[in-house]
Amino acid sequence: MKTEAAKQLRQRFERFAELRAQYGTAKAIEMMRSGQAEVQQKLMGPLISGVSLAEGFRQSITIFEEFGMNMEVVDISNQGKDAVLEIQRVCPYMSLAREFGLQTPCQITCDLEVEAVQQAFPNMKGRILSKQACGDCVCVFKYERDRNSQN
């Protein structure tokens, strides 16, 4: 994992720890949620606008690699849906979660990000199908939108 990416990951967990100490877990998660849709719009919008989700997500692989992830994208478009599976073989959040006393990192990372994607792109549905933090061998995310709404 590159130094800047590692620093960004750590900052996220540090911020959560500070908020949790001050406000409790539920309020800290709510505060972490704030602004996430705008971040997703800025990051993912240019990648998925005007192209299939598979094409857009493949363009993001190098971004995920900077954070130590090993990502594969599978086009599962079917029945009028533009759809993709994002498969992550490595979760760089697991050791940080343990370090910060969390059973899993999901509540302050991927859960919030999937929720934010749906807020940023109301025509898109996202769902987490499996989580390494829960004993699965990979993390799998499914995203879909109507085939004719590539924006």
Side-chain angles (χ1 to χ4, degrees):
M1 183 175 4
K2 296 185 179 175
T3 307
E4 185 58 34
K7 182 179 174 183
Q8 288 177 11
L9 290 180
R10 175 164 290 285
Q11 287 173 343
R12 182 179 216 164
F13 281 82
E14 288 171 348
R15 179 170 182 250
F16 176 74
E18 291 168 5
L19 293 172
R20 182 179 58 185
Q22 189 170 1
Y23 301 104
T25 301
K27 180 72 173 171
I29 291 170
E30 184 62 34
M31 294 173 84
M32 295 286 291
R33 184 176 281 121
S34 178
Q36 286 297 308
E38 293 80 10
V39 169
Q40 290 299 325
Q41 177 67 44
K42 181 180 174 186
L43 293 175
M44 292 302 296
L47 297 175
I48 63 173
S49 182
V51 299
S52 71
L53 289 177
E55 186 178 338
F57 275 66
R58 284 185 185 117
Q59 290 178 53
S60 73
I61 290 173
T62 56
I63 296 167
F64 284 98
E65 286 175 343
E66 289 180 23
F67 289 92
M69 297 179 187
N70 179 338
M71 177 175 164
E72 182 176 341
V73 174
V74 179
D75 187 343
I76 59 168
S77 297
N78 191 26
Q79 299 180 5
K81 299 287 184 184
D82 175 22
V84 66
L85 291 178
E86 172 191 326
I87 303 166
Q88 297 287 355
R89 288 189 174 89
V90 176
C91 175
Y93 303 124
M94 299 274 274
S95 59
L96 282 168
R98 285 189 292 275
E99 182 181 333
F100 284 87
L102 299 171
Q103 190 169 4
T104 74
C106 307
Q107 65 185 359
I108 64 166
T109 56
C110 301
D111 292 351
L112 292 180
E113 290 167 9
V114 169
E115 180 183 311
V117 164
Q118 294 178 123
Q119 291 172 355
F121 307 101
N123 63 337
M124 190 170 359
K125 269 189 343 190
R127 186 176 334 154
I128 301 173
L129 303 178
S130 69
K131 298 178 178 183
Q132 290 180 33
C134 295
D136 296 317
C137 63
V138 294
C139 295
V140 179
F141 306 84
K142 181 181 70 123
Y143 296 94
E144 64 180 60
R145 62 186 176 186
D146 289 335
R147 194 175 301 251
N148 60 358
S149 64
Q150 292 185 352
N151 50 29

